[in-house]
Amino acid sequence: MTVVIDCNIFVMCLTSASPYHFIYQSLINGKFNLAVTGEILLEYEEVLQQKYSVSTAQTFITLLNELPNIHYIHPYYQWQLITIDPDDNKYCDCAIAGQATYIVTEDRHFDVLKNIPFPSLTTATIDQFLEIIQSI
């Protein structure tokens, strides 16, 4: 299973005290594949620096660069599916190009994807994704 994960999901699951830390551990243990683009990695780094620290963000990005289940995607087309917050489209484009099973997000801007028949994208909340990977 390949997924695209919105940066705020990692904010919620990085700390070991989080009830969602299992998602982070599952990524490290190779329970699922993560599709990313250069643009997504930059956002991960920026947001994690703001929420945690520069060293935490750098450690996380270094880890992603070393894990074998991280797939770097190079979308060649911009679908522009989310008009409310166009910056979120990088996740959609990555999911389409990387043939992701889910986009994991808590961002309501992605709700518009439920009404778009093509290309078909499926979102999962953090709770839904946690259930999915716990059942693997």
Side-chain angles (χ1 to χ4, degrees), residues 72-89:
Y72 292 89
I73 306 300
H74 302 282
Y76 294 100
Y77 186 79
Q78 295 178 340
W79 289 87
Q80 301 177 12
L81 301 175
I82 300 175
T83 56
I84 296 171
D85 186 358
D87 192 46
D88 289 335
N89 282 310

Side-chain angles (χ1 to χ4, degrees), residues 10-117:
F10 282 122
V11 169
M12 296 169 67
C13 71
L14 276 186
T15 176
S16 60
S18 168
Y20 302 109
H21 190 64
F22 186 75
I23 294 171
Y24 174 72
Q25 291 173 318
S26 297
L27 174 64
I28 291 171
N29 293 325
K31 286 187 96 173
F32 63 89
N33 297 316
L34 177 67
V36 296
T37 64
E39 194 176 5
I40 289 172
L41 288 176
L42 287 173
E43 184 167 321
Y44 287 171
E45 186 174 21
E46 179 183 329
V47 170
L48 292 176
Q49 283 178 5
Q50 292 170 358
K51 300 288 184 179
Y52 291 101
S53 68
V54 170
S55 65
T56 298
Q58 289 174 345
T59 300
F60 181 70
I61 297 302
T62 299
L63 175 69
L64 292 183
N65 285 323
E66 294 176 5
L67 287 174
N69 55 322
I70 307 302
H71 299 280
Y72 292 89
I73 306 300
H74 302 282
Y76 294 100
Y77 186 79
Q78 295 178 340
W79 289 87
Q80 301 177 12
L81 301 175
I82 300 175
T83 56
I84 296 171
D85 186 358
D87 192 46
D88 289 335
N89 282 310
K90 66 178 158 276
Y91 295 101
C92 299
D93 296 340
C94 180
I96 293 165
Q99 300 178 341
T101 309
Y102 302 104
I103 298 175
V104 184
T105 184
E106 289 291 317
D107 188 337
R108 294 290 158 224
H109 295 149
F110 288 85
D111 287 349
V112 70
L113 300 176
K114 295 173 186 168
N115 301 317
I116 298 173

